[in-house]
Amino acid sequence: MPFKVLHLDSESTWRGGENQIRLLLQAVQNENWQWHLAAPPGSEAIARMSHLAQTFAVPMRGARILTASFAVARYVRQHGIQLLDCQSGRAHNLGLFVKKLCPHVKLVVHRRVDYPPAPGYWHRQKYVHPSIDRFVCISSAIQKILAEFGVSPSKLTTVRSAVDSGPFADVDRQAARRILTNEWQIAPDQTIIGNLAYITEQKDHATLIRALGILQQRGLPFFAYIAGDGALRPAAEALAAELGLGPDRLRFLGVRKDVAQLLGATDIFALSSQDEGLGTSLLDAVHSGCTLVATAVGGIPEIVLHERTGLLAPAKDHQAFANNLERLLRDPALLERLRTEAQAHVARQFSLQSMVNGNLRVYEELIQGPARH
């Protein structure tokens, strides 16, 4: 009999959490595992993963969570689901209701953000509730936060997120550089600083843009791009204009489909987030051959070991961020050493197989019980 796992995902868009589900399901397609996915109608998760799992569309927002809990509970009974894996905050809420209706099912919650749960009685109960069998944290930093919040260490497991390295490692960097430097009309030997992220408060592009402004003031040669969109894009573009960062220095590319080629043409990947559960875009960049400059928040220091696999600056410190970028612009040997060491570190600690095996171990242990496992 296969293990039967239902993933609960309350998001309509496609972001890091949805991609981690996809990578897991895609890697494990055999008779030992039967995958199910419940997500909102019209969601990207259902659209992109219907060939990997049996899908179930159910509205989950607002007051609909009660209706959804009964619908999911019926689905659990009908399909003999043994374990629920809640992939978001709203799914966490839904999972607790379903567990009340189906007490036999095992309940797992994936935690992907690096800030403490909100204070208050309900939020505390949500995290220390006895119905939850395990929290899977995507970084050690998140596990530490939940332990400090009061979650029992016996219910905490770290399984770091991973990425599929293939699309990035297979890119011809020289060819990608030729194509994109021609598109941007810059010199082929220009040092390229790249950022791919939603332009949101969390990603704090203002720190990166201010750092680029400092590099320009110091007379350092570089070209930078920001690929992505978001509510704060107009403000980011206005800040760049205010600092005199024209299109010969910084370009906003919007949403791009050629992510692997962009990273393949990039020398330095710069991520100035003010919070980050892990930062899988950094893993994409490492597989693409980039050198990392980032902020020391959340799980990022588990990827970027300062002076070993990249350079770190405090969050919101554009001076320190600029100084790190300048070091790499002035020292090609340092840039190359950090790039090489980052590739070795990520291969050891953040492989796709490790992520898959880590999640499967949690599922097997809970479904079979510690003794049989």
Side-chain angles (χ1 to χ4, degrees):
M1 289 289 292
F3 296 116
K4 298 181 179 181
V5 177
L6 172 60
H7 294 273
L8 293 180
D9 181 39
S10 61
E11 303 305 304
S12 296
T13 58
W14 185 270
R15 298 194 69 176
E18 288 68 43
N19 194 48
Q20 292 303 303
I21 303 172
R22 177 188 67 83
L23 290 172
L24 173 62
L25 270 54
Q26 189 171 272
V28 185
Q29 290 288 312
N30 58 53
E31 68 278 3
N32 296 323
W33 295 90
Q34 187 181 106
W35 302 115
H36 300 255
L37 171 68
S43 66
E44 286 291 312
I46 287 180
R48 299 195 197 188
M49 290 189 275
S50 58
H51 67 295
L52 299 173
Q54 297 183 48
T55 58
F56 173 46
V58 56
M60 302 180 185
R61 290 187 175 274
R64 291 179 172 180
I65 192 171
L66 292 175
T67 304
S69 65
F70 285 102
V72 173
R74 283 196 299 273
Y75 187 94
V76 166
R77 298 189 193 102
Q78 289 169 359
H79 292 84
I81 300 298
Q82 298 162 294
L83 183 144
L84 299 178
D85 192 345
C86 306
Q87 300 285 343
S88 61
R90 192 175 290 111
H92 181 173
N93 296 337
L94 177 58
L96 287 170
F97 283 114
V98 174
K99 176 87 173 197
K100 187 73 174 176
L101 298 169
C102 302
H104 69 281
V105 76
K106 300 298 181 181
L107 185 60
V108 172
V109 175
H110 260 80
R111 180 74 173 175
R112 303 184 186 280
V113 294
D114 69 327
Y115 46 82
Y121 177 80
W122 162 244
H123 286 285
R124 177 158 295 279
Q125 289 304 305
K126 178 178 171 179
Y127 283 87
V128 302
H129 201 284
S131 293
I132 298 174
D133 295 286
R134 191 72 55 87
F135 284 92
V136 175
C137 309
I138 67 166
S139 67
S140 298
I142 295 174
Q143 178 166 336
K144 182 174 183 290
I145 288 170
L146 290 185
E148 291 173 347
F149 188 74
V151 178
S152 170
S154 65
K155 291 190 174 185
L156 295 172
T157 299
T158 293
V159 179
R160 293 189 174 106
S161 294
V163 299
D164 180 1
S165 64
F168 304 99
D170 293 342
V171 170
D172 183 329
R173 284 180 61 83
Q174 291 185 341
R177 177 174 284 267
R178 284 195 300 270
I179 293 169
L180 290 167
T181 54
N182 182 62
E183 174 187 331
W184 298 325
Q185 298 185 322
I186 62 174
D189 61 349
Q190 182 72 276
T191 300
I192 299 174
I193 301 170
N195 173 281
L196 290 88
Y198 285 98
I199 305 177
T200 62
E201 183 178 359
Q202 177 205 354
K203 301 299 182 181
D204 189 22
H205 285 82
T207 290
L208 170 60
I209 295 167
R210 292 185 187 280
L212 296 174
I214 292 172
L215 297 182
Q216 178 170 258
Q217 289 175 351
R218 294 175 181 173
L220 292 162
F222 69 90
F223 173 81
Y225 68 81
I226 293 173
D229 212 341
L232 296 184
R233 179 175 174 178
E237 292 178 325
L239 177 60
E242 177 187 327
L243 296 173
L245 291 165
D248 60 325
R249 288 292 199 173
L250 172 62
R251 293 197 186 192
F252 290 83
L253 306 181
V255 177
R256 298 277 294 226
K257 294 184 178 180
D258 58 341
V259 170
Q261 285 68 38
L262 279 175
L263 289 175
T266 301
D267 298 294
I268 302 168
F269 185 79
L271 188 67
S272 53
S273 303
Q274 62 179 337
D275 64 79
E276 197 76 60
L278 183 63
T280 53
S281 61
L282 294 165
L283 302 178
D284 293 339
V286 169
H287 290 305
S288 299
C290 305
T291 301
L292 306 178
V293 173
T295 43
V297 298
I300 287 179
E302 296 171 40
I303 300 173
V304 185
L305 311 177
H306 187 56
E307 303 280 358
R308 289 176 53 196
T309 66
L311 298 177
L312 290 172
K316 293 187 172 297
D317 188 338
H318 56 271
Q319 290 281 353
F321 206 89
N323 291 341
N324 284 341
L325 290 172
E326 181 176 1
R327 287 183 63 189
L328 297 181
L329 292 174
R330 293 189 182 278
D331 191 346
L334 175 63
L335 185 145
E336 177 62 20
R337 177 178 67 78
L338 295 176
R339 181 186 73 84
T340 302
E341 292 195 23
Q343 290 178 326
H345 173 63
V346 167
R348 288 192 303 268
Q349 300 294 328
F350 295 89
S351 73
L352 178 58
Q353 195 59 55
S354 293
M355 181 276 284
V356 171
N357 290 344
N359 279 292
L360 296 186
R361 276 195 297 270
V362 170
Y363 299 161
E364 289 178 3
E365 179 181 325
L366 292 177
I367 293 172
Q368 291 182 321
R372 291 182 60 187
H373 179 73

